[in-house]
Amino acid sequence: MLQTVTVVGVGLIGGSFALALREAGFTGRILGVSSPRTLETALRLGVINEGIGLEEGIRRADLVYLAQPISQILEVIPQIGPWLGPDAVVTDAGSTKVEIVRAAEAHLPPGAFLGGHPMAGKESRGVESAEAGLFRNRSYILTPTSGNPRGHLSSFRDFLARFECLVFELTAEQHDSIIAYYSHVPQLASTALAVTVSGVNGTKKAAGPGLIDMTRLAMSSYTVWKDILVTNRAHIGPALDDYISVLQQLRASLGTPEMERFFATGESLARGLRTDFDFIDKT
Amino acid sequence: MLQTVTVVGVGLIGGSFALALREAGFTGRILGVSSPRTLETALRLGVINEGIGLEEGIRRADLVYLAQPISQILEVIPQIGPWLGPDAVVTDAGSTKVEIVRAAEAHLPPGAFLGGHPMAGKESRGVESAEAGLFRNRSYILTPTSGNPRGHLSSFRDFLARFECLVFELTAEQHDSIIAYYSHVPQLASTALAVTVSGVNGTKKAAGPGLIDMTRLAMSSYTVWKDILVTNRAHIGPALDDYISVLQQLRASLGTPEMERFFATGESLARGLRTDFDFIDKT
């Protein structure tokens, strides 16, 4: 049974995981590893029971939840192996998986690690924005690796099942290649649109609701995206090429009947996203 | 004083104009020109007072509000000149302005026409979706042309002022060139993203809120967009080239420090859109 969970990186995701765990009935202890200021806030908000240093946090944990930016996860994984108890397990919430899983396979005992990616977030960041319901009605992807999984990993999965999120598995490679299209290209499409519009010499008053929609992602933090773009560059490059190529085809079809086919394909995909997975939050 | 207003094309926009006019205190008569089925619905919903044919509707009107698709507006303008009363005025709600204004200048008496573009809409269409508040907290662009404007046009502007929308003027050329960036490229960016994602061989369950945001416009009706793309092709082509060029620069900056500058520029534009025009609906 899970007795002690250590969240490393008590921000929006790590803090929400702690709160969701509590809401799902976890009665053990939640330790937090973060900056002193964040720990103070997390304690005040009742998100964690105790702030602690990395080494002791790992030594005491049954489950370690790594929720820092990807580059920090990649720095921490090689350090923690020696501190990990014989039954302890590690999962993470990094938005790219190939490099993280590779590090875990190199540095952690077989069966001790399970990669994860909760497809959740919001515009505001930090533990102040954490909420127990952040994962509800969202996808939560797991990327299992080789090795017979330690028992605490199935306890972790049991808790996830109570978060009311759609849990499913992909290989790390499948994850990074699909997410390049579903998340990383959309981010760059939004940033590029905002950059393009910023070059227009004309009144911003003419902006309508469509542009507002399409530039929401452009407000994302580069601190988060930097690591994603670096670690998944191999998949994002070709996915972005595909997007550019479709745009060039649309450009060539301006004012021709061919355009109708693009609209039909796009509409069908967009409506499908909203109806095939009914439970997914459509807002 | 405006006594009789004729709405040609009693759909979402035309119907909402009629309702907004009423809410703003218009006490005269509202005539509707549309298909028999639409007129029946519009009468039942109290959107118009009377359904009527085009010629009689124009002959009786002080103000004509053209709210059909652009191609139909372009067909109607050359017909209605001879039926227009000596004080009657015409405005329209077409999403592109250069071709419409050109037609009006060729076929309507000087001072009788004022082009307009309400930057409003919603996912559902038709008179059933019309609402008095559709224009509230949205921009409403006017594109004045040469000729001393007839008096009823200032009554029209007075009513617009009561719609609580942000009314401002551009030339038709400025309008079409700016809107290519603010509305038409965002639409094509969304359609292209949906088309790109539709080609991915992988579970749609991995779709997150970002992709949902970025594919909302892709559900737009091609019936509406066909005319926009045809009549504003001259501006959309170069604007789309700019967008593609920015995407190619982002592609080249993947994993380099240069990317940070793009994110900063995009974020600044996106936040500015949301704060510079406080009253604009941010949802």
Side-chain angles (χ1 to χ4, degrees), chain B residues 167-180:
Chain B
V167 181
F168 62 98
E169 298 183 359
L170 295 172
T171 67
E173 178 69 27
Q174 285 170 333
H175 171 279
D176 284 10
S177 117
I178 291 176
I179 295 299

Side-chain angles (χ1 to χ4, degrees), chain A residues 190 193-194 210-219, chain B residues 269-270 273-274:
Chain A
S190 181
L193 185 66
L211 185 61
I212 293 290
D213 261 5
M214 294 293 289
T215 54
R216 189 167 296 120
L217 288 180
M219 293 188 293
Chain B
L269 182 283
L273 285 180
R274 286 154 175 85

